[in-house]
Amino acid sequence: MAYILNRLLSVLLTLFLISVITFAVTNILPGDVAMMIMGTQSNPEALAGLRETLGLNDPLVVQYGRWIGGLLTGDWGQSLVFKEAIGPLIAQKVVASSLIVVMSMAVALIAAIPLGVWAAVHRDRWQDSTSSTAALVGVSLPDFFWGIMLILLFARALGWLPSSGFVHPGDDFLGAIRHAFLPSLALGLGLMAHLTRMTRATMIGIMGQEFIRVARAKGLSEREVVWSYGLRNAVGPVLTVAGLQIGYLFGSIIVIESLFNFTGMGWLTYQALLNRDIPLIQSTVFVIAAVVMLTNFLVDLLYVVIDPRIRLS
Amino acid sequence: MRRFFKGKGLIGTVIVLAVLLVAVLAPLVIPDSFATQMNMRARLSGPTWEHFFGTDQLGRDLFYRVVLGAQTSIMIAGAAVLMSIVIGLPLGIVSGYFGGWIDNVLMRLVDTLLSFPALLLALTISAVLGPNLTNTIIAIGVAFTPFLARIIRGEALRVAQMPYVEAARAAGTTDAWMILRHILPNIMPAIIVQSTISLAFAILAEAGLSFLGLGTQPPEASWGLMIQASRDYLDVAPWTALVPGAAVAMTVLGLNLFGDTLRDVLDPRTET
């Protein structure tokens, strides 16, 4: 319990620091919100007036306080590009992104765990080098390149799947999956390669341990030894690494969602950055960093649940 | 040493050397105009004897563009990694060597920065500063710093607990001398390995940034920029994406293989 409380306090502190960094970075921007609203050619007096009403002349600490106060009370401000309230806008985009993040994670794990185990069991033989080479090629290609290849193959040449757009799962579930499939695959392939390498390394470490030898000595089948003794112990570390990759995924969705015109958080963040929509930049960047941090926290907790040994130390 | 001459080590070494050679020599040997020469009659032409890799939407030769683009991509990635080492090294060493509250404060900050996906951080910095070549370097460099600082701290912490450091301390070595003479040389292998792998990531990051239009700007020719330009012509001329994409993939693959081999040689503890 003390462990969880301790971690919770640390999460709150990190969230606070994330908000400070986000606010600081966006305030180095040359030009401010008033200039964004009225344009660079606007009348200086009107500009000064707008600055005053928006509170842009207040000290930065006061401005930060107002922003964070708004975040906490649910008033996230207005997007300058979309002319909409930011809160609902983000809530809606988070749904879209969750869909491809979950799907790509699933694609990656389903393929990576068997591949990694297969490589580890046949260490230094052709199975190992095939799987390792494939994984290495996978991590070496930029994910948007995978995306382009997938569009060329499945959308243009074969015409099986749509290459752009987002459909809400509530409206048309099958359509939603079809639209999310190619972006998820593009994201998942790189991740899969990474997780395959990780699974292989972890499994090799575990298969060399005492209890595996004991299991074999007991006369268990090799299959049972690998899957119920080896893999069970490898799942924890692999899941942890997979959880840590959430950060990588949330970086990649910016590129992939823009490529596939998939209107999720990544796409929204890109629009905000391209148009220098300062309030929207602040909120999207903050939300992404917060989600990444909270996911890592949950993975840590999950790890404690899976592996009781951690609780004791 | 022998590991560099066989198997994956050999492939990695050859690719890395070849790419470096091209990046350094090509701009000296091939005039700029070869990559910027437009030929409207040969727009989006497929690979021919005249144009090995075909041409782009303005009829510019893709072979020369990809070869000359190597320098931009490698230079940006190299400078960015160098920058992240220059900032991350003192942070990591101070944190790992001195420990205590400095370590607590610095690592809290680093952990917070690690919550920002590196690409998001780089994109935001680039958008804030205004996208151009220098700012792309700064954006990637800053975005990679927390990661390097963390790794260097871990290494410094490990080395600081070694018996020889304790012995040197007992002999009255000052902190500054200790860091220079004992810590730095012993964490160097890990830093070299990590820089090689970071270089691969930096090339991917530059490609990603330029692909989104928030990195290198035309008329520079970088690989990411070439892939971005190809987007509108994928249907008619897929090679405009394949050629620069293959260049990125080959370089990153080479760096990964080279980095893996370096790790096996310099830092055998973490062998995978």
Side-chain angles (χ1 to χ4, degrees):
Chain A
M1 208 51 220
Y3 171 81
I4 294 181
L5 218 67
N6 205 346
R7 286 298 319 254
L8 222 53
L9 272 179
S10 137
V11 162
L12 285 180
L13 180 62
T14 312
L15 268 181
F16 166 70
L17 287 174
I18 286 176
S19 72
V20 172
I21 291 174
T22 309
F23 188 79
V25 170
T26 42
N27 265 287
I28 321 169
L29 269 172
D32 56 22
V33 178
M35 193 99 89
M36 297 290 312
I37 294 175
M38 303 189 68
T40 39
Q41 305 299 318
S42 52
N43 164 5
E45 270 167 42
L47 207 57
L50 186 63
R51 283 210 175 102
E52 194 59 46
T53 32
L54 289 172
L56 295 177
N57 295 329
D58 296 341
L60 277 182
V61 183
V62 176
Q63 290 189 42
Y64 169 77
R66 201 179 304 127
W67 178 60
I68 204 78
L71 280 187
L72 290 174
T73 53
D75 172 19
W76 291 37
Q78 286 275 327
S79 155
L80 304 179
V81 186
F82 296 98
K83 319 263 185 252
E84 267 182 68
I86 292 176
L89 193 63
I90 287 187
Q92 181 194 338
K93 303 300 178 204
V94 163
V95 175
S97 289
S98 313
L99 187 67
I100 57 171
V101 165
V102 170
M103 275 175 68
S104 58
M105 199 47 112
V107 166
L109 282 174
I110 287 171
I113 291 183
L115 266 177
V117 171
W118 190 54
V121 170
H122 302 278
R123 193 184 178 185
D124 292 333
R125 272 178 282 164
W126 67 267
Q127 293 95 332
D128 185 17
S129 41
T130 311
S131 141
S132 300
T133 310
L136 205 57
V137 173
V139 278
S140 301
L141 278 164
D143 32 29
F144 58 85
F145 190 72
W146 281 123
I148 291 177
M149 292 300 109
L150 291 174
I151 290 179
L152 281 177
L153 182 64
F154 289 107
R156 300 282 203 277
L158 298 172
W160 290 351
L161 289 160
S163 68
S164 108
F166 162 70
V167 172
H168 197 283
D171 300 337
D172 170 11
F173 188 73
L174 204 67
I177 301 285
R178 279 171 53 85
H179 277 85
F181 195 77
L182 288 184
S184 306
L185 202 57
L187 281 173
L189 281 172
L191 193 62
M192 178 189 102
H194 189 77
L195 291 178
T196 304
R197 275 158 69 96
M198 182 64 202
T199 311
R200 174 184 176 271
T202 314
M203 274 302 279
I204 285 177
I206 287 168
M207 293 307 285
Q209 287 189 16
E210 286 285 302
F211 68 90
I212 294 292
R213 207 178 323 156
V214 172
R216 282 194 184 126
K218 281 202 303 188
L220 295 178
S221 69
E222 189 59 24
R223 200 184 159 137
E224 209 163 345
V225 172
V226 169
W227 295 101
S228 359
Y229 282 68
L231 187 60
R232 175 177 280 191
N233 283 280
V235 162
V238 170
L239 280 187
T240 308
V241 173
L244 292 176
Q245 294 303 315
I246 291 283
Y248 160 82
L249 272 185
F250 269 92
S252 304
I253 57 169
I254 302 175
V255 185
I256 291 297
E257 287 185 0
S258 307
L259 174 65
F260 285 92
N261 222 348
F262 189 88
T263 50
M265 269 309 275
W267 177 86
L268 188 67
T269 311
Y270 179 52
Q271 295 304 321
L273 286 170
L274 261 193
N275 296 300
R276 297 192 158 205
D277 184 343
I278 300 172
L280 191 58
I281 295 178
Q282 285 174 338
S283 302
T284 48
V285 170
F286 176 76
V287 166
I288 291 181
V291 166
V292 170
M293 198 268 295
L294 289 172
T295 320
N296 289 342
F297 170 63
L298 288 179
V299 169
D300 266 12
L301 285 188
L302 194 71
Y303 199 80
V304 177
V305 176
I306 293 179
D307 193 342
R309 280 171 296 185
I310 311 279
R311 251 173 292 178
L312 300 172
S313 56
Chain B
M1 212 47 211
R2 207 174 298 147
R3 284 182 191 251
F4 289 106
F5 298 107
K6 62 173 196 192
K8 62 173 187 174
L10 180 67
I11 303 174
T13 313
V14 168
I15 295 179
V16 169
L17 284 179
V19 173
L20 279 181
L21 216 63
V22 166
V24 173
L25 289 184
L28 302 176
V29 184
I30 304 169
D32 242 11
S33 61
F34 277 37
T36 49
Q37 179 80 54
M38 297 182 218
N39 180 357
M40 285 307 174
R41 271 170 307 155
R43 292 174 62 202
L44 298 173
S45 121
T48 56
W49 278 114
E50 200 183 343
H51 304 287
F52 293 149
F53 291 170
T55 59
D56 69 2
Q57 72 281 7
L58 297 171
R60 296 175 298 193
D61 186 284
L62 278 175
F63 174 76
Y64 289 120
R65 284 187 76 69
V66 100
V67 161
L68 288 173
Q71 192 190 34
T72 319
S73 296
I74 303 277
M75 199 264 288
I76 291 176
V81 170
L82 195 68
M83 183 179 156
S84 63
I85 293 173
V86 168
I87 312 174
L89 191 65
L91 287 179
I93 287 187
V94 164
S95 207
Y97 178 73
F98 291 106
W101 68 269
I102 306 183
D103 184 30
N104 274 334
V105 171
L106 283 180
M107 283 308 119
R108 172 65 62 185
L109 191 69
V110 163
D111 281 347
T112 307
L113 283 171
L114 282 173
S115 300
F116 295 87
L119 191 62
L120 173 67
L121 205 55
L123 280 169
T124 311
I125 295 171
S126 188
V128 162
L129 298 177
N132 61 39
L133 200 141
T134 319
N135 290 341
T136 307
I137 295 174
I138 296 175
I140 300 175
V142 171
F144 279 25
T145 300
F147 185 66
L148 267 153
R150 240 232 170 283
I151 295 212
I152 292 168
R153 173 200 176 258
E155 280 297 303
L157 190 67
R158 184 183 63 84
V159 173
Q161 288 162 346
M162 289 286 170
Y164 55 79
V165 170
E166 229 166 285
R169 191 174 292 131
T173 310
T174 60
D175 285 333
W177 185 246
M178 182 86 85
I179 288 174
L180 274 178
R181 189 71 189 77
H182 297 293
I183 308 280
L184 206 53
N186 284 299
I187 61 173
M188 230 35 202
I191 296 178
I192 294 172
V193 170
Q194 207 50 55
S195 330
T196 320
I197 295 166
S198 300
L199 208 54
F201 277 109
I203 287 178
L204 290 177
E206 188 278 327
L209 248 64
S210 301
F211 180 70
L212 290 177
L214 287 169
T216 323
Q217 299 294 316
E220 302 281 350
S222 91
W223 294 337
L225 215 52
M226 292 173 70
I227 301 179
Q228 190 220 9
S230 76
R231 268 178 76 173
D232 297 332
Y233 312 98
L234 278 182
D235 289 323
V236 278
W239 57 88
T240 51
L242 284 170
V243 169
V248 172
M250 204 182 70
T251 309
V252 174
L253 182 69
L255 282 167
N256 278 332
L257 286 170
F258 187 70
D260 270 10
T261 315
L262 261 182
R263 175 164 48 202
D264 294 349
V265 172
L266 293 177
D267 200 10
R269 283 170 303 116
T270 50
E271 191 166 353
T272 49

